[in-house]
Amino acid sequence: MNQLPTSIIIFGASGDLTQRKLVPSLFNSFIKGRMPKNFRIVGYGNTAFTDEQFRVHLSGGIHQFAAFKYSDEEWNTFAPNLAYQQGRYTDLADFKRLSEFVSKWENGSGNRLYYMATPPGIFPNIIDLLGLTGQLQENGGWRRVVIEKPFGTDLASARSLNLQIHKALNENQIYRIDHYLGKETVQNILVTRFANTIFEPLWNRNYIDHVEVTVSEQVGVEHRAGYYDSVGVVRDMFQNHLLQLVSLVAMEPPASFDANALRNEKVKVLNSIQPLRGEVVASNTVLGQYQGYLDEEGVKAYSTTPTYAALRLQIDNWRWQGVPFYLRSGKRLAEKTSQIIIEFKEPPHLLFPNARAGMTPNMLVLYLQPDEGIHWRFEAKVPDTAADMRSVDMEFHYADSFGKTSIPESYERLLLDALAGDASLFTRADEVETAWGLIDPILESWDAQKRPPSIYEPGSWGPAAADEMIILDGRTWSRWQGH
Ligand code: BG6
């Protein structure tokens, strides 16, 4: 990192994300000594805060949400790096004031990271105004922009957003966030696959029967119905997080650990997924809505927005031909868990007389959260029998090996990477568009059929139709029960 002063300018600074995630993450990096030597965090928003009020507001958030230990002294050393500028998102004069404010502190050249933590409708306007006031010009220091999800609501809107922001920025200045990529365990998918020799030879259609990705939540829409009811689970979770997980599991080894090499491989996977459109949508997708969703505050009367979905995807390439990928995610389900299960094929010939029909197949579980780890299920001989077998597990828990607090908040890694100019864990324009290209026809087909989502009980594992979809393939959903 060069030694110029670095400004992190957060738009939407009085909001939830800044208080809960962004500033606690930056503070934690500061405590670990990872922040640039000379930095300042400038909050920008409509709310009238003085610098001091902004600091008090943030310290309240840290107190409430920080998952790490800190001393008053650490906070008092960090806090003077926080400043606030009140302003509107549509006003050129306010942006000029911001520009002067930042330039004055830089006193020459400086690096700038702009973070869009505003509602998505506003950020193209912010980028325009930053451009018009010269704040995106790289004269000496770099300029980067971090963009929060959702990136568009369909392919057309994502494309037009890309076009719009590319007028002011080059692709290598744009950091589109998918916070799943900031999760340690998600990054560990690459390490598991490509830093070990034992998995890669088996990682294909010859040995893998199918792959399951489950991302379930216990919470409902909470206070976000205004946003959620207009998007639903497929746009909220599948277009980004679940498809990202699929691409990491299914990608070919990249040529190097470089942002573009990595993202090229991920885009190749997305391009190889058989698009579900028209008639095949009904037999490969299930949409559900939890009982009681319509009574949530802010949900439209008779809303048919899905809060649960299950998809069966096929990847058309040499490695994965014929191996189904089952994806499911929903709100108000039995448990909060994110896990990827790689289920292997049965042995081609069973030698043992007592082998049970339909023995539990070998399974590799990438347990993303909450009990982060990796588990390996295989058959073992029951002692003191001729050749009876039982499934046993080998388990790796991050908490046991690295300590209970070893896993940082996703935003910590992502913000540091953006400051360091490493875009590996951010999504590229073509990646986002390709993902929308897969999601759009599914939703269009459901709209055209006018079929409502199946209602499911809160606290269940979703609608029965999702079980039926996979049972038709002679399989059932698996789930690793963490501790
Ligand atoms: C967000 C979605 O991107 O991810 C939320 O908008 C969802 O609806 C959240 O609750 C889940 O993230 P995590 O990290 O809790 O699995």
Side-chain angles (χ1 to χ4, degrees):
M1 221 177 276
N2 59 29
Q3 293 300 307
L4 292 176
T6 300
S7 303
I8 300 159
I9 298 141
I10 305 177
F11 294 98
S14 48
D16 222 32
L17 184 72
T18 308
Q19 198 197 30
R20 274 176 184 258
K21 304 278 186 190
L22 304 182
V23 171
S25 298
L26 291 165
F27 179 37
N28 208 15
S29 294
F30 174 78
I31 294 177
K32 293 177 183 170
R34 295 178 180 168
M35 289 297 282
K37 214 160 153 235
N38 188 9
F39 75 96
R40 190 167 67 154
I41 301 164
V42 180
Y44 184 97
N46 286 311
T47 311
F49 276 140
T50 61
D51 287 352
E52 199 40 45
Q53 285 166 335
F54 184 52
R55 289 169 192 157
V56 170
H57 164 76
L58 295 174
S59 93
I62 302 249
H63 197 66
Q64 203 178 341
F65 304 118
F68 52 90
K69 285 213 168 13
Y70 64 94
S71 65
D72 286 350
E73 195 191 336
E74 282 165 327
W75 173 256
N76 292 337
T77 329
F78 176 75
N81 297 299
L82 295 161
Y84 189 79
Q85 276 285 289
Q86 186 191 3
R88 285 156 294 184
Y89 295 115
T90 45
D91 194 295
L92 192 70
D94 286 354
F95 272 69
K96 280 190 182 147
R97 270 197 314 116
L98 172 69
S99 172
E100 283 157 18
F101 182 74
V102 177
S103 307
K104 193 167 162 211
W105 176 74
E106 286 171 344
N107 192 23
S109 311
N111 300 317
R112 296 187 197 172
L113 184 71
Y114 298 103
Y115 199 111
M116 305 292 145
T118 60
I122 306 178
F123 71 71
N125 211 23
I126 298 177
I127 294 174
D128 276 354
L129 286 174
L130 286 174
L132 283 173
T133 49
Q135 297 187 72
L136 296 173
Q137 257 162 37
E138 296 196 311
N139 39 10
W142 49 253
R143 302 286 180 268
R144 298 179 191 137
V145 176
V146 181
I147 297 177
E148 264 298 326
K149 61 156 275 210
F151 197 87
T153 50
D154 55 15
L155 177 57
S157 58
R159 261 194 196 140
S160 90
L161 221 48
N162 274 330
L163 278 174
Q164 217 171 332
I165 60 179
H166 281 150
K167 282 187 200 149
L169 295 158
N170 294 321
E171 180 60 27
N172 64 9
Q173 294 176 284
I174 306 170
Y175 290 71
R176 296 175 195 78
I177 282 231
D178 182 318
H179 80 280
Y180 261 64
L181 294 178
K183 291 185 191 282
E184 284 292 331
T185 41
V186 172
Q187 291 159 47
N188 192 44
I189 298 174
L190 293 181
V191 175
T192 305
R193 289 193 55 196
F194 303 130
N196 295 298
T197 42
I198 54 172
F199 298 117
E200 199 49 23
L202 308 178
W203 212 264
N204 56 53
R205 66 189 300 273
N206 296 330
Y207 297 97
I208 293 179
D209 180 75
H210 70 277
V211 176
E212 287 175 40
V213 180
T214 297
V215 178
S216 61
E217 297 186 89
Q218 280 181 313
V219 292
V221 283
E222 312 292 291
H223 57 282
R224 295 166 73 224
Y227 153 76
Y228 193 89
D229 198 42
S230 63
V231 294
V233 69
V234 183
R235 292 186 174 98
D236 187 48
M237 296 296 288
F238 285 73
Q239 184 273 341
N240 39 53
H241 311 324
L242 276 91
L243 284 180
Q244 284 295 328
L245 297 179
V246 169
S247 50
L248 290 169
V249 169
M251 71 196 263
E252 294 302 315
S256 68
F257 199 51
D258 154 87
N260 273 330
L262 211 73
R263 296 186 295 180
N264 288 344
E265 294 304 335
K266 280 163 57 196
V267 174
K268 262 166 66 185
V269 174
L270 295 175
N271 274 315
S272 311
I273 295 178
Q274 242 177 53
L276 295 173
R277 52 168 62 102
E279 284 165 14
V280 299
V281 171
S283 53
N284 288 287
T285 64
V286 171
L287 297 189
Q289 187 185 76
Y290 63 81
Q291 180 105 47
Y293 174 73
L294 295 180
D295 303 328
E296 301 271 22
E297 203 183 321
V299 168
K300 289 188 290 293
Y302 311 110
S303 167
T304 54
T305 297
T307 60
Y308 172 97
L311 312 184
R312 183 202 285 113
L313 298 178
Q314 300 282 351
I315 301 179
D316 280 339
N317 63 21
W318 276 56
R319 190 188 281 267
W320 296 114
Q321 194 60 46
V323 179
F325 279 64
Y326 300 102
L327 278 49
R328 60 176 172 164
S329 179
K331 294 208 183 276
R332 281 254 190 278
L333 296 178
E335 204 182 298
K336 165 127 182 122
T337 178
S338 300
Q339 43 184 285
I340 300 172
I341 295 189
I342 319 282
E343 196 167 305
F344 289 85
K345 293 191 170 174
E346 291 193 357
H349 168 64
L350 279 176
L351 184 64
F352 308 103
N354 294 345
R356 287 162 281 134
M359 271 175 7
T360 313
N362 295 153
M363 225 185 232
L364 180 69
V365 183
L366 307 175
Y367 202 98
L368 308 179
Q369 60 184 26
D371 173 22
E372 293 84 355
I374 296 186
H375 311 292
W376 188 222
R377 174 167 293 177
F378 57 97
E379 293 295 295
K381 179 178 173 293
V382 177
D384 205 18
T385 64
D388 286 359
M389 281 169 284
R390 211 182 73 196
S391 304
V392 291
D393 303 319
M394 269 189 188
E395 303 192 16
F396 153 61
H397 299 267
Y398 268 83
D400 296 345
S401 300
F402 297 105
K404 279 205 172 11
T405 53
S406 58
I407 309 248
E409 167 60 52
S410 323
Y411 281 92
E412 208 176 304
R413 165 91 277 125
L414 295 172
L415 281 160
L416 284 177
D417 281 2
L419 286 168
D422 181 353
S424 311
L425 302 177
F426 295 84
T427 48
R428 213 168 53 186
D430 54 342
E431 203 173 347
V432 175
E433 291 182 14
T434 313
W436 277 122
L438 291 166
I439 294 303
D440 279 5
I442 297 177
L443 294 176
E444 278 159 17
S445 164
W446 274 84
D447 280 350
Q449 288 171 29
K450 298 209 179 332
R451 260 200 310 148
S454 314
I455 301 301
Y456 61 95
E457 281 281 315
S460 69
W461 278 102
D467 297 333
E468 285 150 22
M469 177 177 88
I470 186 166
I471 285 170
L472 281 177
D473 292 351
R475 302 185 175 102
T476 50
W477 292 102
S478 307
R479 183 167 50 89
W480 183 271
Q481 274 166 302
H483 295 284

